[in-house]
Amino acid sequence: MAQTKDEGKTMGVKFNREYEAIIDELTDAIGGVEGVHEWLEMEAADWEALEEDERAECVRTMADDLFYGLGADPVMKLSGATLAYDKGSHVIKIAYADNVIRAIRLI
């Protein structure tokens, strides 16, 4: 575990890049996950009824939650995708059917 630059708090996911940059990348990556609205327990019609900026805000909040969640559980499911925190490589991997489609560097 590492301490954040600004807060000095210990977290379960070690990172040394700017937190906002990591969350921006994670937001972009999970925003493209088919059925992302299911993680929010929303129906597709309700998700589509949201304005684009509202959907973006929901996905960013999810990215933040998932980032912290990966500190406690290094493998999480998001609809048809799997998010995995690779502690040794300091990377979050997003995969469909065991094919990594995105890797987000943390250091």
Side-chain angles (χ1 to χ4, degrees):
M1 293 195 288
Q3 292 185 344
T4 63
K5 293 179 190 177
D6 299 325
E7 300 170 358
K9 295 181 181 175
T10 302
M11 297 180 42
V13 173
K14 183 178 180 179
F15 68 99
N16 196 24
R17 288 181 58 210
E18 291 294 324
Y19 180 76
E20 289 300 316
I22 294 168
I23 293 301
D24 286 347
E25 281 188 57
L26 189 54
T27 298
D28 184 53
I30 66 173
V33 171
E34 188 175 324
V36 70
H37 62 280
E38 294 169 0
W39 198 75
L40 297 169
E41 298 180 0
M42 291 181 75
E43 296 294 325
D46 294 332
W47 180 252
E48 292 300 320
L50 294 175
E51 298 290 325
E52 186 175 331
D53 61 331
E54 292 173 313
R55 287 193 302 266
E57 186 177 325
C58 287
V59 172
R60 187 165 186 86
T61 299
M62 281 189 344
D64 197 42
D65 291 347
L66 289 165
F67 181 82
Y68 283 99
L70 287 167
D73 184 0
V75 178
M76 300 180 82
K77 294 284 186 186
L78 176 63
S79 298
T82 301
L83 283 77
Y85 169 47
D86 184 337
K87 190 174 186 176
S89 298
H90 309 292
V91 171
I92 295 173
K93 298 176 183 175
I94 300 156
Y96 285 104
D98 296 329
N99 293 319
V100 175
I101 58 163
R102 193 80 176 261
I104 299 168
R105 292 180 307 103
L106 302 173
I107 292 182

